[in-house]
Amino acid sequence: MRQFALVTQWELEAPVNAVWDALYDVERWPSWWKYVLSVDEVQAGDASGVGALRRYTWSSRLPYRLSFEMRTSVVERPYRLEARALGELAGLGRWTLSQSEDLTRVRYDWQVVTTRPWMNALAPVLAPAFRWNHGQVMAAGGRGLAAHLGVRLRPSS
């Protein structure tokens, strides 16, 4: 298995609660995030969403799709959302939000290992392409979220 530690940062001219609501409502991601093909609830969580299990199917800039499940482990509205992945990718994803005046900063930490045999076999050579692909998918998410909220996405600094 090949391990990746990937960080994405977005800055949106939006209130933190609006950004939180859009990120928390994962079943609607396919309507604004072009690479999210589907999000299906497998198991409901508690009242805050902890314990929820969802199956995600993603496309990408490279010619492959990935499917994996994520179980929500932390919900701290409106600042932190965390889930564990299992399936074709396994690891931890963490959304962290902060607000300064009219700007919401979003950070996504994705600590994941590949589990597909072909990815593991090719990871020593294709790791840069996998990182690039992740960056492209996440950049599209930032643009899509900004459009969904009707706000401006500031260039990353």
Side-chain angles (χ1 to χ4, degrees):
M1 286 187 260
R2 177 71 178 204
Q3 184 169 357
F4 293 88
L6 305 162
V7 177
T8 300
Q9 297 185 80
W10 301 329
E11 292 184 348
L12 296 132
E13 294 177 356
V16 70
N17 284 317
V19 176
W20 170 270
D21 289 343
L23 291 175
Y24 184 78
D25 189 9
V26 297
E27 283 87 3
R28 293 205 48 205
W29 286 6
S31 71
W32 55 263
W33 196 333
K34 98 183 220 183
Y35 294 111
V36 182
L37 300 177
S38 64
V39 180
D40 300 304
E41 185 175 81
V42 175
Q43 181 180 354
D46 67 13
S48 71
V50 171
L53 181 66
R54 293 178 180 92
R55 180 158 188 81
Y56 295 75
T57 301
W58 295 78
S59 66
S60 72
R61 291 286 306 268
L62 296 176
Y64 64 84
R65 291 182 179 187
L66 288 169
S67 292
F68 52 90
E69 294 180 343
M70 293 196 75
R71 183 172 300 277
T72 304
S73 54
V74 176
V75 177
E76 295 173 359
R77 180 181 172 75
Y79 300 110
R80 190 165 149 232
L81 183 60
E82 194 170 291
R84 294 236 166 243
L86 50 106
E88 293 180 334
L89 295 175
L92 178 70
R94 178 183 307 114
W95 294 101
T96 307
L97 287 69
S98 62
Q99 184 166 12
S100 174
E101 297 177 18
D102 66 341
L103 182 70
T104 296
R105 288 182 177 85
V106 178
R107 177 182 169 119
Y108 187 67
D109 291 280
W110 187 223
Q111 298 171 1
V112 65
V113 295
T114 57
T115 63
R116 292 175 88 176
W118 76 265
M119 292 181 100
N120 292 335
L122 297 175
V125 174
L126 293 182
F130 292 158
R131 284 188 188 88
W132 172 84
N133 189 58
H134 175 79
Q136 295 294 304
V137 168
M138 295 304 288
R143 290 188 304 271
L145 178 55
H148 173 70
L149 295 175
V151 303
R152 183 171 173 255
L153 174 69
R154 289 194 184 170
S156 296
S157 41

